[in-house]
Amino acid sequence: MQIIRDIATLHRAVTALKQGGKSVALVPTMGALHDGHLSLVRMGRRVADHVVVSIFVNPTQFGPNEDYAAYPRDEARDAALLAQDGVGLLWAPDVGIMYPAGHSTHIEVAELGADYCGAARPGHFDGVATVVAKLFNQVRPDVAIFGEKDWQQLAIIRRMARDLDFALDILGAPIARDPDGLALSSRNAYLTQDQRAAATAFPGALKAAAAAIASGADVGESLAKAEAAIVAGGFDSVDYVALADANSLERLAACRAPARLLAAARIGKTRLIDNYPVG
Ligand code: AMP
């Protein structure tokens, strides 16, 4: 597997991969890879001839009091996992390559980025959209794969690709979970043993609420019950538990298809997100 850190070498390598009409799938990540990321890689191998993975901990999507400095980084381990999984090229630019001095252009995400994680993390989705647009231009993939774990992010990327006429397909990959239901996340590494044990309450409450709503229970009551169960399970606070239109992300007071239950909650210093389909 080639590990590439500058744009000219990247362009040459991608051009070589594409020779003979071969297709390229891009899987953007921030590293600290787990089976969720690797499931995206496997999807990439199914849909394209070559898989390019990017690892870049993007400073512009972290708020000033967030975990940019503490975010887990272990490129050697990540590279070994990717090589084992048949990835041909790892794109691992440093911050100075991604944002050279004087970098001053960014993408602003309007309505889709306003609520949910966007409300709790101002500027987050502008940072995500900007770096993903740059990754699309740098790698020029035929398809890019994102996890449904970050449902709002996936909706925003799909919209951005449409709005800005990126000529590639965006695919969503199902959420990979631990056996007790907790969605895999690089941030699970922050959890103490007790917090990790308690964290199962989060997917448990969401799954129960999604099932209740699908079978006709009152939406407001179901959301309130889920919030209470998350806090009773050991979480310190709930950022949001909401029923949303799965595509437009509009909040729904009554269930109509396609709907998605979206949530974020905090346990200790860790903020976890998750979502479930409804019906
Ligand atoms: P991250 O490194 O956390 O920025 O995630 C990189 C990509 O992996 C994003 O598209 C995420 O949605 C996806 N991802 C992260 N966790 C999971 C998971 N548990 N299941 C599926 N995809 C995931």
Side-chain angles (χ1 to χ4, degrees):
M1 183 180 70
Q2 304 176 77
I3 302 180
I4 296 181
R5 303 183 193 281
D6 72 276
I7 289 177
T9 309
L10 176 71
H11 283 169
R12 278 198 299 278
V14 172
T15 301
L17 291 180
K18 285 185 161 182
Q19 247 171 22
K22 301 277 199 234
S23 57
V24 168
L26 171 67
V27 176
T29 81
M30 296 204 301
L33 301 180
H34 50 64
D35 270 343
H37 298 111
L38 298 178
S39 74
L40 273 55
V41 169
R42 288 191 283 272
M43 180 179 275
R45 284 173 47 201
R46 286 198 297 277
V47 300
D49 297 306
H50 299 288
V51 180
V52 173
V53 172
S54 62
I55 295 182
F56 180 66
V57 184
N58 176 35
T60 69
Q61 70 188 68
F62 288 80
N65 299 315
E66 293 185 350
D67 56 342
Y68 174 68
Y71 198 83
R73 292 163 171 89
D74 189 346
E75 190 190 285
R77 177 185 167 276
D78 290 346
L81 287 171
L82 295 173
Q84 236 170 49
D85 242 341
V87 171
L89 195 165
L90 170 58
W91 171 224
D94 73 18
V95 176
I97 295 287
M98 191 62 87
Y99 300 111
H103 188 281
S104 54
T105 307
H106 76 273
I107 291 176
E108 196 175 308
V109 180
E111 64 188 69
L112 280 181
D115 203 348
Y116 314 115
C117 285
R121 307 183 68 189
H124 170 67
F125 287 117
D126 294 354
V128 169
T130 301
V131 82
V132 169
K134 287 170 67 69
L135 290 167
F136 287 174
N137 284 330
Q138 291 161 354
V139 177
R140 287 170 290 170
D142 301 282
V143 51
I145 301 169
F146 294 85
E148 291 182 348
K149 153 97 186 325
D150 299 86
W151 189 268
Q152 186 177 17
Q153 169 175 282
L154 176 59
I156 285 170
I157 302 295
R158 286 189 197 283
R159 182 72 63 87
M160 177 188 77
R162 193 199 72 182
D163 289 348
L164 300 183
D165 306 302
F166 280 103
L168 80 176
D169 293 324
I170 308 291
L171 294 184
I175 303 175
R177 298 180 179 278
D178 268 336
D180 70 345
L182 186 66
L184 300 183
S185 165
S186 307
R187 290 191 168 96
N188 292 353
Y190 297 151
L191 300 173
T192 64
Q193 225 174 355
D194 287 351
Q195 289 169 341
R196 174 62 192 82
T200 189
F202 187 37
L206 299 179
K207 200 172 168 186
I213 293 169
S215 55
D218 180 79
V219 170
E221 278 172 24
S222 303
L223 300 180
K225 211 164 139 187
E227 282 201 28
I230 293 163
V231 172
F235 279 72
D236 295 292
S237 62
V238 173
D239 275 6
Y240 62 86
V241 177
L243 185 70
D245 180 286
N247 301 318
S248 71
L249 304 186
E250 174 199 347
R251 280 190 190 239
L252 300 178
C255 192
R256 64 166 157 77
R260 199 93 188 175
L261 194 66
L262 308 177
R266 294 175 196 261
I267 183 163
K269 64 181 168 81
T270 307
R271 180 176 184 276
L272 298 178
I273 63 172
D274 202 348
N275 66 86
Y276 274 87
V278 178

